[in-house]
Amino acid sequence: MVSSKLAVGSVSNQAFLHYLCALARSIRENAPEVHFHAHLINVTQDGVESVRQAMGRGEITVENIQLSKEEERGHSSNSRVYVVHKLLSSGFDVVVNMDPDALVRKGFSMILQHSLENYDVLLFRQSRIKKSNIGEKVHFLACMSIFKNGANAKTFVAKWLAELEPMRLEWFGDQIALFRAFEKTNVIVRVGDIPLGLLDWEFAFKSYVWMAKGNKKYSSSMFSLELEKYAPNRPASVVFFIILIKQLTLRGQFLFWKIKIAIISYLLYIRSFIRFKKKI
């Protein structure tokens, strides 16, 4: 059994590396007990070093593979399943898969322990079953999933891997395979929902993990502010410029309100940043 009970795994290619570095720093500062596993695909040596500097406890694996842009996109997303399998096999008590564009805002070991009392797996369930780009049903999003190490969780992940294998380079393959694995194992595997407040893409202050799914990583000032807290040595003037540019590029608002929102966001950032620095 490994010494750390809780592991978080995340996968990134070069395009998402700055998000993964921020995730690594947020875990180091807010949940230092977590073992962080970063799997990097076609990332430069400088990029690997930037992740190493951002991390606290954990490890890095590097994969260099020749793929088309679309294949790399699919492979990067789908590799989460292999990382989960590796961490379960390594003996961690609880394994959490997270997208790289997530931020851990406070330690979540206790809420996980309570949430997993009656479940083997926790998934992020959509409000209704949707169809994927190839017409398959998808009920869960793969942006975050949680596994309590044991025979049932390993059975689920083994089925997830098996279903994914024919689609391992296809975008959305992980989510299609996830729903198939659920349908084929839910008689024996106890699957629950990730609790409200643990994973949040509406960015409530009390939430444990913020996830900037889709375009929210570009359009949300709240997420941008939180992200900037974990940027290395970013001058305050640069932060304001970033926030202002993001506001000016949004549609559906008058220029006056865009500038006003940018200024308010900047002041909130300064207050949050000062409190953050005092804490660490």
Side-chain angles (χ1 to χ4, degrees), residues 183-254:
E183 288 188 310
K184 294 180 179 179
T185 63
N186 65 36
V187 173
I188 58 172
V189 179
R190 300 170 301 169
V191 177
D193 295 336
I194 292 176
L196 187 68
L198 175 55
L199 173 63
D200 180 13
W201 54 25
E202 298 299 332
F203 313 129
F205 280 106
K206 293 183 178 180
S207 300
Y208 290 80
V209 178
W210 283 4
M211 186 75 67
K213 195 71 176 166
N215 289 329
K216 286 204 169 186
K217 68 176 67 64
Y218 312 113
S219 63
S220 169
S221 294
M222 291 294 292
F223 184 79
S224 295
L225 295 174
E226 191 73 10
L227 186 69
E228 290 304 322
K229 283 165 52 175
Y230 305 102
N233 303 318
R234 185 94 80 184
S237 57
V238 174
V239 173
F240 176 70
F241 181 74
I242 291 171
I243 295 170
L244 180 61
I245 291 299
K246 287 191 174 186
Q247 283 298 321
L248 291 175
T249 54
L250 290 179
R251 297 179 179 178
Q253 295 177 349
F254 292 110

Side-chain angles (χ1 to χ4, degrees), residues 10-274:
S10 190
V11 182
S12 178
N13 58 9
Q14 190 71 34
F16 276 77
L17 197 65
H18 62 295
Y19 291 106
L20 184 126
C21 286
L23 171 59
R25 288 190 189 92
S26 73
I27 291 174
R28 184 186 70 191
E29 302 297 346
N30 301 324
E33 75 282 2
V34 170
H35 177 100
F36 182 61
H37 180 103
H39 184 68
L40 308 179
I41 297 173
N42 294 339
V43 168
T44 65
Q45 189 57 46
D46 287 345
V48 174
E49 186 58 32
S50 68
V51 176
R52 198 181 312 280
Q53 292 177 6
M55 288 174 59
R57 175 186 302 188
E59 62 186 341
I60 298 172
T61 52
V62 178
E63 179 182 1
N64 293 305
I65 181 172
Q66 287 192 338
L67 298 169
S68 69
K69 186 176 181 179
E70 189 62 26
E71 287 174 335
E72 182 180 301
R73 182 184 183 221
H75 181 59
S76 297
S77 179
N78 296 336
S79 291
R80 75 178 77 240
V81 192
Y82 300 94
V83 171
V84 168
H85 180 266
K86 173 182 171 60
L87 293 173
L88 286 174
S89 300
S90 297
F92 290 96
D93 291 346
V94 178
V95 173
V96 182
N97 145 65
M98 283 188 195
D99 273 357
D101 50 359
L103 292 170
V104 172
R105 306 185 70 248
K106 51 186 175 180
F108 51 89
S109 299
M110 293 303 295
I111 189 174
L112 281 186
Q113 182 178 345
H114 176 73
S115 302
L116 286 166
E117 283 182 356
N118 299 312
Y119 298 104
D120 305 302
V121 178
L122 298 176
L123 301 176
F124 189 72
R125 189 188 304 265
Q126 298 185 96
S127 58
R128 59 188 178 87
I129 295 179
K130 298 181 180 180
K131 293 290 185 69
S132 73
N133 55 333
I134 61 172
E136 289 243 13
K137 293 184 295 182
V138 176
H139 200 173
F140 303 102
L141 298 180
C143 55
M144 185 176 183
S145 47
I146 304 167
F147 305 86
K148 180 170 65 178
N149 207 339
N152 286 350
K154 288 179 177 177
T155 295
F156 184 95
V157 173
K159 181 57 68 175
W160 194 7
L161 277 171
E163 294 293 338
L164 176 63
E165 187 59 27
M167 303 179 288
R168 66 186 184 276
L169 297 180
E170 297 178 19
W171 177 249
F172 223 70
D174 54 342
Q175 296 192 151
I176 295 170
L178 180 63
F179 189 53
R180 290 179 183 174
F182 167 76
E183 288 188 310
K184 294 180 179 179
T185 63
N186 65 36
V187 173
I188 58 172
V189 179
R190 300 170 301 169
V191 177
D193 295 336
I194 292 176
L196 187 68
L198 175 55
L199 173 63
D200 180 13
W201 54 25
E202 298 299 332
F203 313 129
F205 280 106
K206 293 183 178 180
S207 300
Y208 290 80
V209 178
W210 283 4
M211 186 75 67
K213 195 71 176 166
N215 289 329
K216 286 204 169 186
K217 68 176 67 64
Y218 312 113
S219 63
S220 169
S221 294
M222 291 294 292
F223 184 79
S224 295
L225 295 174
E226 191 73 10
L227 186 69
E228 290 304 322
K229 283 165 52 175
Y230 305 102
N233 303 318
R234 185 94 80 184
S237 57
V238 174
V239 173
F240 176 70
F241 181 74
I242 291 171
I243 295 170
L244 180 61
I245 291 299
K246 287 191 174 186
Q247 283 298 321
L248 291 175
T249 54
L250 290 179
R251 297 179 179 178
Q253 295 177 349
F254 292 110
L255 180 61
F256 170 78
W257 283 105
K258 290 180 179 181
I259 296 174
K260 185 175 182 179
I261 290 172
I263 294 171
I264 293 173
S265 297
Y266 175 68
L267 294 175
L268 289 172
Y269 164 78
I270 292 296
R271 186 180 70 172
S272 176
F273 183 78
I274 292 172

